């Protein structure tokens, strides 16, 4: 949830969308800001694309809070809880099929709801997969992509297992694979999901696999991830992904994505090793710029926010300059 300070520059809303209500944040530049720089940015932002931030598996908008803080006042910014996660509605399987296409439609609905023309999508992990699907399905709404440790590769599952196998130092499964297997198994999965919500230890252990700097895994971060799991319907929606993992591997081919793309990756991502994942992404998106975030694992937007925000800003400004040059040509 928003802190007292965040409420000064972030507004939280809910959209009564069909098939389900979802939550989003917005942070808009203020022409009445006390800081002259922010007033200038507010004027400039009128001609700039908005940024839409999309969280990863089991996360929520809050996982992008450092981006909202670091870029406040500079751009029109939005972030949403994907349907089934965070504090968006969590519907049973009889009412909805969780998929990349569903979330792409949700992102498109938010863009239309805010009357934005074209946006830059910034997706982390599973959110990157949803961003890619949105760009494929609704190209008229998406100007560029920023993918942070993104999933969605056609062979994602196989590549993740390969990465985890390389990580093993002894002949026993890593915590990542044990948890994935538990969540994927009938009945055991429900118990494991409930354990994650009930046990701070289980949640912390899972998060520590995704962070290089373990000091970043604070009690506040652990509760941020646990709290949505205690909301109605959470167990089903979380398990819907792990039990249908093959449906979240996009059938991409080289050249399918032609728009400008920035790929950022944590140097020490354990389950999605850059040495394994990045060459695959570069084959599929040959025009993509690649930036490796040092001393970070799977969540560089939270571990190294200043570095990630700076590179994101550079990329966004590049796109703005290119658009202006094209318009003037």
């Amino acid at each position: 949830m928003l802190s007292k300070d965040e409420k000064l520059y972030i507004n939280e809303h809910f959209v009564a969308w069909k098939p389900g209500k979802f939550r989003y944040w917005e942070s808009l530049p203020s022409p009445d800001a006390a800081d002259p720089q922010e007033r200038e940015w507010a004027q400039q932002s009128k001609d700039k694309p908005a940024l839409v931030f999309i969280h990863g598996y089991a996360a929520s908008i809050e996982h992008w809070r450092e981006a909202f803080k670091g870029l406040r006042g500079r751009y029109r910014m939005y972030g949403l809880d994907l349907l089934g996660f965070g504090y968006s509605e969590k519907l049973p399987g009889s009412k909805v099929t969780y998929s990349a296409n569903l979330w792409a439609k949700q992102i498109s609905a938010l863009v239309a709801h805010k009357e934005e023309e074209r946006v830059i999508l910034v997706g982390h992990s599973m959110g990157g997969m949803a961003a890619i699907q949105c760009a494929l399905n609704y190209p008229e709404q998406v100007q560029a992509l920023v993918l942070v440790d993104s999933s969605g590769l056609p062979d994602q599952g196989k590549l993740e297992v390969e990465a985890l196998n390389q990580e093993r130092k002894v002949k026993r499964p890593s915590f990542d694979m044990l948890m994935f297997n538990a969540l994927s198994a009938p009945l055991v999965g429900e118990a494991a999901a409930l354990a994650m919500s009930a046990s701070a230890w289980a949640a912390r252990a899972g998060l520590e696999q995704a962070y290089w700097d373990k000091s970043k895994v604070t009690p506040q971060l652990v509760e941020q991830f646990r709290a949505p799991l205690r909301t109605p319907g959470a167990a089903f929606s979380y398990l819907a992904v792990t039990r249908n993992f093959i449906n979240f591997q996009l059938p991409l081919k080289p050249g399918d994505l032609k728009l400008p793309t920035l790929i950022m990756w944590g140097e020490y991502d354990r389950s999605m090793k850059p040495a394994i994942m990045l060459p695959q992404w570069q084959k599929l998106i040959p025009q993509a710029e690649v930036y490796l975030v040092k001393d970070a694992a799977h969540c560089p937007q939270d571990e190294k926010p200043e570095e990630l925000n700076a590179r994101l800003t550079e990329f966004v400004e590049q796109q703005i300059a290119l658009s202006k040059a094209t318009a003037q040509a």
Side-chain angles (χ1 to χ4, degrees):
M1 294 297 186
L2 291 170
S3 67
K4 183 178 180 180
D5 178 61
E6 288 169 336
K7 288 179 181 179
L8 298 176
Y9 61 93
I10 296 174
N11 290 311
E12 181 179 69
H13 304 281
F14 287 83
V15 175
W17 182 61
K18 189 176 181 179
K21 183 171 70 172
F22 68 84
R23 178 179 73 138
Y24 74 91
W25 284 0
E26 70 174 2
S27 181
L28 307 178
S30 172
D32 301 319
D35 186 343
Q37 177 64 77
E38 287 193 29
R39 291 200 300 271
E40 182 181 347
W41 282 341
Q43 182 62 36
Q44 294 173 350
S45 73
K46 296 176 182 178
D47 300 318
K48 294 182 178 182
L51 308 184
V52 178
F53 295 91
I54 311 156
H55 65 79
Y57 176 74
S60 61
I61 305 168
E62 279 81 356
H63 213 194
W64 281 111
R65 69 195 326 150
E66 290 297 330
F68 275 82
K69 178 181 178 181
L71 302 176
R72 59 183 291 184
R74 186 155 194 155
Y75 305 106
R76 299 186 308 283
M77 295 188 293
Y78 307 99
L80 75 168
D81 280 349
L82 294 172
L83 203 65
F85 292 92
Y87 295 94
S88 288
E89 194 168 358
K90 300 169 183 68
L91 299 163
S94 59
K95 293 187 177 180
V96 68
T97 299
Y98 292 104
S99 67
N101 280 310
L102 173 71
W103 294 323
K105 186 176 180 180
Q106 180 188 352
I107 296 164
S108 174
L110 175 63
V111 173
H113 177 71
K114 299 311 300 181
E115 298 182 342
E116 296 288 354
E117 292 184 6
R118 302 190 76 198
V119 300
I120 294 177
L121 299 181
V122 187
H124 171 243
S125 194
M126 190 181 76
M129 175 205 67
I132 291 168
Q133 191 69 64
C134 185
L136 292 171
N137 293 3
Y138 309 97
E140 72 283 356
Q141 291 183 319
V142 184
Q143 180 171 332
L145 281 175
V146 179
L147 307 175
V148 182
D149 294 66
S150 180
S151 63
L153 284 166
D155 294 324
Q156 183 76 35
K158 177 182 177 182
L159 293 169
E160 286 191 30
V161 170
E162 182 181 342
L164 288 168
N165 284 339
Q166 286 190 6
E167 180 68 19
R168 292 171 185 156
K169 303 299 182 184
V170 294
K171 292 184 178 179
R172 67 170 182 264
S174 68
F175 183 89
D176 307 62
M177 188 53 65
L178 286 171
M179 185 57 66
F180 181 84
N181 288 340
L183 289 170
S184 301
L187 299 181
V188 178
E190 279 79 357
L194 289 172
M196 290 286 282
S197 65
S199 167
W201 175 88
R204 172 177 287 278
L207 283 166
E208 286 183 346
Q209 299 300 309
Y211 279 70
W212 175 248
D213 181 358
K214 303 299 187 270
S215 70
K216 292 281 187 176
V217 184
T218 62
Q220 291 77 17
L221 181 68
V222 171
E223 179 58 20
Q224 176 183 304
F225 273 76
R226 290 176 62 209
L229 261 171
R230 297 194 290 269
T231 59
F236 172 82
S237 58
Y238 281 51
L239 293 167
V241 176
T242 56
R243 292 187 173 169
N244 298 283
F245 190 68
I246 192 169
N247 295 330
F248 297 91
Q249 300 178 114
L250 303 177
L252 282 174
K253 299 184 296 297
D256 283 350
L257 283 169
K258 297 181 174 61
L259 73 173
T261 302
L262 169 64
I263 299 174
M264 292 194 275
W265 216 275
E267 177 185 19
Y268 296 117
D269 191 328
R270 294 181 59 195
S271 59
M272 295 170 61
K273 283 181 172 292
I276 294 174
M277 302 294 176
L278 285 178
Q280 301 303 316
W281 279 120
Q282 289 175 293
K283 287 179 185 177
L284 292 171
I285 318 174
Q287 79 278 12
E289 300 176 40
V290 175
Y291 183 82
L292 198 65
V293 184
K294 300 290 186 181
D295 298 327
H298 187 63
C299 305
Q301 79 275 27
D302 201 33
E303 286 198 85
K304 293 284 184 174
E306 296 86 359
E307 184 176 347
L308 189 134
N309 290 344
R311 185 65 188 91
L312 172 59
T313 300
E314 183 182 347
F315 177 76
V316 170
E317 294 300 325
Q318 286 174 350
Q319 304 318 306
I320 294 166
L322 285 171
S323 295
K324 287 182 179 178
T326 301
Q328 293 169 359

